[in-house]
Amino acid sequence: MSTLEIRDLQVAVEDKEILRGVNLTVKAGQTHAIMGPNGSGKSTLAYAIAGHPKYTITGGQVLLDGVDLLELSVDERARAGLFLAMQYPVEVPGVSVSNFLRSAVTAVRGEAPKLREFAKDLKAGMDALSIDPAFAQRNLNEGFSGGEKKRHEILQMELLKPKIAVLDETDSGLDVDALRVVSEGINRFRASGETGVLLITHYTRILRYVKPDFVHVFAAGRIVEEGGPELAEKLEAEGYEQYTKASA
Amino acid sequence: MGLNEKPLSTLHEKASYDLGDFDVPTGREEAWRFTPLSRLKGLHNGKAEPVGHVRVDVDAAPEVTVETVGRDDARVGKSFMPTDRVSAQAWNTFEKATVITVPREAVTSKPTVLTLTGEGDGATYGHIVVKVEPMAEAVLVLDHKGSAVYADNIEFVVGDGANLKVVSLQDWDDDAVHVSHHHAQLAKDATFRSFVVTLGGDLVRLSPSVTYTAPGGDADMSGVYFVDAGQHLEHRLLVDHSQPNCKSNVDYRGALQGEAAHAVWIGDVIIRVEAEGTDTYELNRNLILTDGARADSVPNLEILTGEVAGAGHASASGRLDDEHIFYLQARGIPYDEARRLVVRGFLGQLVEKIQIEEIRERVMNALEAELSR
């Protein structure tokens, strides 16, 4: 069983301190929701863990089953079992979805999947997320709607089967139907009980479909309150105001 | 790098069959300022004696006639006049020309492939005429390889309603020098598709041009190039719209890597007063993969009539997008492979335009070989 352990993580962007000591442990079988107002550093946490070059780690550790991810390159982290579903997946011209997915699956599994098997998995994955099969031939994220991009992120997660998935505002910009489809994907993914999910969101809406075990409130670069699912209810009713005031 | 708009009059001011009409370039001329003259091995100053050989092998479609003719053949030199010193030198020095004729209304059953192999034994001057008679359709592949110091003129004469597709591969050995002019002349309603792939050679300077003799012509000129350390690959496009209601589209893309890898792209589109209803676009994009590589890209557009259907140009040179690479790496794909995927995608989007599968694959394989170097 896998464990992601974030210890006193401090992160800066261009000399500006964004994360100011984050501690969080996500175990396989658990779903953690991180909630917080805009600008609180939620996305910074996601991208810093994944290794985006824009973020400078100024202190702390991120351990996946004891291995410090911060010592690894971006691709090594992914191959170690980390997945980041991006809030704004970029368009990559000229790289087809099927070619990209096959390259990613090959890299993560360490060997090329059998073509027929891969085609079958891909089709099943796309069906489950109501993705038009023609997408496989399209360029990566090019011309995808917001909802299509997010469904495609979840498709990747299901195909790559990471140990820990970090979902960065996967719910933002989705209509109710798309939210349901995406949530079902996340629930399929965590149903095995062998994977951990760190769900970053601004809104409580997705938590009605994807029930978290733990809720953490993020403000001004650190976790300021923790609790069970009931904390989300409280946030729904009261908003983030008390936290933003307190940390200001 | 950057965008520079020079008056066209300095670029294509002269046309003549007479070598004496062209001064030996010094490198200060607008037309020569990007080209390292010392690496031309004398092609530009008359010192490259025609002592070498570039073997021409032809695998022709059965509908096509192929002839080797002398300088005095009436079909040679009818569609163009040299516009620079090297073109004039080639015109005045070649001994045998290859003439390919696609008869009226013939539709060729397979591509005609000309393989030009440099034998590495000195300078050579060549001439090729491809004549596509009215309503005929043909596909031509020019495959340049080996070692050569080679200057040539190629005439593509596309008749009324005819359709010619040309793929020209410059896949030379590392020491080759090639200065080439492609002159396409489009008659009424003619269609011309050119796809240039330049990969090999120490210095390649290729100048494809299009002229129209009647309305309705449609030219599409694409190119991909991959410049490695020390290479100078230069493409100079000219589309001269002198007839009404013709179209042209130019799209060249290059990737550069390594110390002193140098790409030059010059695009000129002239829309003359009488060329009303012209629809044209030209684009050049460069992807600079490492420090030390340099791309010069200069699109020019000179519009002399107000009555155009469309006219635009663009040029963009930049580095690999960190966000693209991050996204791919975040899915476990190692950096080198992520880079290959992005570059292959960038160039491959153009290669997709080649409609003949075997040629498209050939080009993709050649690019793959470059990418894995």
Side-chain angles (χ1 to χ4, degrees):
Chain A
M1 295 299 246
S2 295
T3 303
L4 180 77
E5 210 181 335
I6 302 168
R7 289 185 187 162
D8 193 29
L9 184 63
Q10 297 157 50
V11 175
V13 177
E14 288 164 1
D15 297 334
K16 186 169 184 281
E17 194 182 19
I18 308 286
L19 297 189
R20 302 190 295 172
V22 177
N23 291 286
L24 179 64
T25 300
V26 180
K27 291 184 175 163
Q30 298 177 343
T31 298
H32 293 246
I34 289 188
M35 305 194 62
N38 288 330
S40 60
K42 305 187 300 284
S43 285
T44 297
L45 177 65
Y47 280 91
I49 296 172
H52 192 286
K54 194 173 114 185
Y55 301 92
T56 309
I57 311 291
T58 52
Q61 285 183 307
V62 178
L63 304 171
L64 178 56
D65 296 336
V67 175
D68 193 349
L69 292 181
L70 304 181
E71 305 287 322
L72 305 181
S73 65
V74 175
D75 50 302
E76 287 169 336
R77 296 179 200 199
R79 294 201 297 276
L82 180 76
F83 181 86
L84 169 62
M86 315 239 183
Q87 187 178 354
Y88 302 110
V90 293
E91 303 183 358
V92 188
V95 178
S96 75
V97 167
S98 68
N99 192 10
F100 160 70
L101 291 174
R102 207 168 48 239
S103 299
V105 168
T106 301
V108 167
R109 291 187 195 164
E111 58 174 3
K114 291 203 175 67
L115 216 56
R116 182 176 290 185
E117 211 169 285
F118 175 74
K120 205 176 105 220
D121 288 353
L122 181 57
K123 187 176 184 314
M126 292 176 94
D127 282 351
L129 289 160
S130 307
I131 297 173
D132 182 345
F135 263 63
Q137 302 316 317
R138 287 176 59 179
N139 287 331
L140 190 48
N141 293 320
E142 208 173 66
F144 288 21
S145 71
E148 286 164 346
K149 284 182 182 171
K150 298 303 176 69
R151 277 185 275 171
H152 182 238
E153 293 292 292
I154 300 304
L155 172 66
Q156 295 169 45
M157 180 179 74
E158 292 198 79
L159 285 171
L160 296 176
K161 300 182 177 38
K163 293 172 180 165
I164 301 287
V166 180
L167 309 179
D168 184 24
E169 303 210 16
T170 297
D171 55 329
S172 68
L174 295 185
D175 63 28
V176 173
D177 289 337
L179 181 66
R180 191 176 296 129
V181 168
V182 161
S183 299
E184 284 167 7
I186 299 169
N187 288 332
R188 273 195 304 277
F189 171 70
R190 62 191 195 135
S192 69
E194 292 167 2
T195 55
V197 173
L198 184 57
L199 187 72
I200 294 171
T201 181
H202 184 78
Y203 305 103
T204 52
R205 191 177 62 149
I206 192 172
L207 303 182
R208 282 182 230 131
Y209 299 93
V210 181
K211 296 278 183 230
D213 303 299
F214 304 94
V215 174
H216 312 266
V217 181
F218 220 72
R222 57 161 66 102
I223 291 168
V224 293
E225 188 168 354
E226 296 180 288
E230 73 287 346
L231 182 52
E233 309 293 327
K234 186 181 150 205
L235 289 169
E236 172 84 3
E238 300 173 10
Y240 293 116
E241 216 165 75
Q242 53 169 317
Y243 302 107
T244 49
K245 270 186 200 149
S247 62
Chain B
M1 238 191 300
L3 203 135
N4 187 356
E5 306 237 351
K6 290 277 177 189
L8 283 163
S9 51
T10 62
L11 274 173
H12 302 284
E13 57 193 343
K14 193 179 280 180
S16 169
Y17 292 110
D18 189 348
L19 184 61
D21 285 341
F22 297 95
D23 291 335
V24 172
T26 63
R28 287 186 296 276
E29 302 78 4
E30 180 59 30
W32 291 100
R33 68 188 177 103
F34 293 109
T35 312
L37 299 176
S38 62
R39 285 157 64 184
L40 283 173
K41 301 202 172 154
L43 288 176
H44 65 299
N45 61 13
K47 289 186 179 155
E49 293 292 330
V51 295
H53 299 87
V54 170
R55 202 175 68 239
V56 182
D57 297 306
V58 186
D59 177 14
E63 300 83 2
V64 162
T65 59
V66 181
E67 299 157 77
T68 303
V69 304
R71 299 184 51 84
D72 54 350
D73 190 279
R75 293 165 295 182
V76 172
K78 288 291 176 292
S79 74
F80 86 110
M81 285 173 88
T83 53
D84 73 30
R85 170 86 191 191
V86 180
S87 179
Q89 181 77 61
W91 167 253
N92 281 283
T93 319
F94 80 89
E95 289 173 1
K96 298 283 178 195
T98 304
V99 177
I100 294 172
T101 308
V102 187
R104 189 183 177 90
E105 293 184 26
V107 177
T108 59
S109 54
K110 67 167 202 171
T112 294
V113 181
L114 267 76
T115 306
L116 294 98
T117 309
E119 298 184 340
D121 52 355
T124 312
Y125 299 89
H127 198 97
I128 297 171
V129 178
V130 180
K131 199 166 163 44
V132 187
E133 293 183 349
M135 312 309 282
E137 292 180 24
V139 177
L140 179 75
V141 179
L142 298 161
D143 193 353
H144 300 90
K145 53 193 193 186
S147 171
V149 175
Y150 186 51
D152 65 338
N153 291 290
I154 305 179
E155 300 176 68
F156 301 116
V157 186
V158 191
D160 288 352
N163 184 320
L164 175 63
K165 298 187 176 90
V166 176
V167 177
S168 182
L169 280 90
Q170 287 66 239
D171 203 2
W172 297 105
D173 289 352
D174 289 345
D175 63 346
V177 176
H178 184 200
V179 180
S180 185
H181 290 75
H182 292 185
H183 311 272
Q185 187 190 67
L186 276 60
K188 185 172 167 46
D189 299 329
T191 301
F192 178 64
R193 298 284 175 264
S194 152
F195 202 103
V196 162
V197 182
T198 304
L199 305 172
D202 176 62
L203 187 159
V204 177
R205 178 177 150 128
L206 179 57
S207 305
S209 65
V210 170
T211 56
Y212 302 84
T213 61
D218 180 354
D220 186 292
M221 302 156 90
S222 302
V224 296
Y225 45 90
F226 201 110
V227 195
D228 288 313
Q231 276 188 306
H232 177 95
L233 304 183
E234 178 167 349
H235 297 88
R236 310 179 66 91
L237 281 290
L238 170 65
V239 183
D240 189 350
H241 281 281
S242 59
Q243 295 286 334
N245 302 317
C246 291
K247 284 202 258 187
S248 64
N249 183 54
V250 174
D251 189 349
Y252 269 61
R253 294 186 193 179
L256 298 82
Q257 65 179 3
E259 193 57 40
H262 191 192
V264 177
W265 184 87
I266 311 294
D268 283 332
V269 175
I270 305 169
I271 306 175
R272 297 184 188 271
V273 175
E274 54 275 31
E276 293 186 353
T278 292
D279 191 356
T280 178
Y281 198 82
E282 57 173 344
L283 171 67
N284 174 232
R285 291 176 64 197
N286 292 291
L287 198 50
I288 297 162
L289 301 174
T290 66
D291 288 337
R294 174 191 163 102
D296 288 293
S297 178
V298 188
N300 300 291
L301 178 57
E302 190 167 49
I303 307 177
L304 306 173
T305 174
E307 302 296 321
V308 297
H313 63 181
S315 161
S317 299
R319 293 186 166 271
L320 273 181
D321 188 328
D322 285 346
E323 297 296 334
H324 292 169
I325 298 296
F326 173 72
Y327 189 81
L328 299 176
Q329 278 191 281
R331 299 302 178 246
I333 300 169
Y335 175 80
D336 282 345
E337 197 190 335
R339 200 187 70 134
R340 272 202 296 277
L341 274 172
V342 172
V343 179
R344 189 191 294 143
F346 171 70
L347 300 176
Q349 275 189 314
L350 258 190
V351 178
E352 287 297 313
K353 285 170 78 170
I354 302 176
Q355 289 161 8
I356 298 124
E357 192 180 346
E358 59 174 284
I359 299 171
R360 190 170 62 235
E361 275 179 17
R362 167 84 204 280
V363 170
M364 271 326 277
N365 290 341
L367 287 173
E368 288 297 332
E370 282 291 328
L371 278 166
S372 54
R373 271 159 72 135

